[in-house]
Amino acid sequence: MPATLIKNGRIITAVDDYVADILVEDGRIKLIGRNVEVGGGVEVHDASGLLVFPGGIDVHTHLDWEFGVAKTVDTFGTGTMAAAFGGTTTLIDFANQDHGKSPIAGIENWHSRSKSACIDVGAHMIMLDVNDQALADMKILMSREGVTSFKVFTAYPGVLMVDDGAIFKTMRTAGTGGGMVCVHAENGGVIDVLVKEAVASGNIGPKYHAITRPSLMEGEATHRIICIAELAEVPVYFVHLSAKEALSSVSEARDRGIPVHAETCPHYLFLGPEEYDRPNFEGAKYVLTPPLRTHDHHDALWRGLKTSDLQVISTDHCPFCFSDNKGMIYSKQQGRDSFAKIPNGGPGLETRLPVVFDGGVHKQKMTLNRFVEVMSTGPAKLFGLFPKKGTIAVGSDGDIVLFDPNESWTIRAGEHHSRSDYSLFEGRTVKGRVKKVFLRGQCIVDGPKWLGREGMGQYLKRGASGTVF
Ligand code: DUC
Ligand code: ZN
Ligand code: ZN
């Protein structure tokens, strides 16, 4: 592969801001300097007037994933291409143990599905059946596979939920090998009662998804999990944190020095429950879990990002289609007659950077450096990928995004690369656009042109998770 020189860009890392040239050779950054001269055979890209970010890292995706009776519509090929167009060059996706099967079988299945990835990928492991064999497998996953994060659910009884004892055992085992436990925190038992009561009363529209999943029940589960993690002495990471009650438990624990981490997602920062009132069942597009919350929660999350009680913005890209054109298994139409049957999740990989840049940096809610920190450096550090990923430095992978901070454009799902047929941000005009994307020095996105290929992504064995605070 030819070396690549990116000239005259304004390089932004979590701590730096300067204009320089970057030379990438054999996939890694070899040199950063001013007026770098090269001979022939080097591919030169002019980044004058553009921001130069380390490639985005999204640590929360569900590609080609069976979720109850539904399936996410993106393959690793299409999902990672969408990610690349959105300025993301690394993702960590959720592999899962199946009931009655081992986590090792789960990672083997995930490897066979993820072969088509166009960007670099790592895996977390969802634990569903926490028996002695599964706990032994966790140790192998950490030491042999570089899977150093595990996920448990306190929601979806009978499908994904495990009990507190299983969570405690998972945590203790993770702690023996540099692992961290990621948690979907909601009180599944109480929510189940509320959902059944709503359906029995004929309250079946999408808006009841939000009404039956109160923020207080996210707060309760978050507090409970922190107590269990504190006893197990293991780092814990809350996925898709959406509620101010949950955030205040995280803040309180962090103030006491407990290794508690959390992410939120763009939809929890910008979208509210009014989306569920859309006519013609379109509210179903926003049925994701936890549900969209009111604006007081958004304000709390922005504060959490400012104080570093939230360290990451991920997508929870769990893409389904609104229509059933590609098959009912992929479609929100499964829940036409009851919100409880609508597949939970939405797309987001292609819009994460521009939406947060526009609503965060341009609206002066976060600095450029903080933007890079929550999009790339923070996730890399928390999930054992730094400094290979997550920064622009000599020796790091040449994963680089050229970004025009001033271009305004309007988000249209029809122009996206995900197989999902809608965007949560359809019609939103944002300022800031991904122009070029480099994966280990190779230009894979050039404006609207796709230069990458399926299978070029590499599997990432990760180091310890949750060791930075
Ligand atoms: N939780 C996730 O993390 N993703 C999809 C749905 C869910 O409940
Ligand atoms: Zn979840
Ligand atoms: Zn998820």
Side-chain angles (χ1 to χ4, degrees), residues 23-198:
L23 180 66
V24 183
E25 245 180 52
D26 300 323
R28 292 184 166 200
I29 296 173
K30 185 172 180 204
L31 180 74
I32 302 173
R34 289 263 167 92
N35 305 315
V36 173
E37 300 284 346
V38 286
V42 176
E43 200 176 285
V44 180
H45 295 261
D46 182 16
S48 306
L50 300 177
L51 302 178
V52 182
F53 298 140
I57 299 177
D58 188 348
V59 296
H60 189 153
T61 68
H62 303 272
L63 299 177
D64 194 8
W65 186 53
E66 277 174 27
F67 183 14
V69 294
K71 192 168 183 199
T72 57
V73 71
D74 273 320
T75 63
F76 277 82
T78 61
T80 55
M81 177 168 50
F85 274 100
T88 289
T89 51
T90 297
L91 56 82
I92 308 181
D93 185 79
F94 284 98
N96 67 277
Q97 175 192 22
D98 283 317
H99 289 285
K101 296 213 178 131
S102 70
I104 296 289
I107 197 71
E108 283 166 359
N109 174 296
W110 182 90
H111 278 305
S112 68
R113 289 182 289 121
S114 65
K115 279 198 178 77
S116 59
C118 313
I119 62 171
D120 291 354
V121 291
H124 316 275
M125 176 57 64
I126 296 175
M127 301 296 289
L128 295 180
D129 215 345
V130 183
N131 53 44
D132 288 348
Q133 182 60 51
L135 293 168
D137 278 8
M138 281 179 66
K139 295 188 181 176
I140 297 171
L141 287 176
M142 290 188 281
S143 60
R144 193 182 76 192
E145 295 277 345
V147 173
T148 56
S149 42
F150 300 87
K151 183 179 182 186
V152 291
F153 287 76
T154 64
Y156 305 118
V159 186
L160 298 171
M161 183 168 134
V162 292
D163 65 30
D164 291 348
I167 292 172
F168 182 54
K169 285 183 187 172
T170 302
M171 286 178 169
R172 275 202 312 212
T173 304
T176 64
M180 175 160 72
V181 176
C182 306
V183 186
H184 172 133
E186 283 183 305
N187 187 314
V190 171
I191 287 169
D192 222 31
V193 171
L194 296 175
V195 168
K196 285 187 176 129
E197 283 175 359

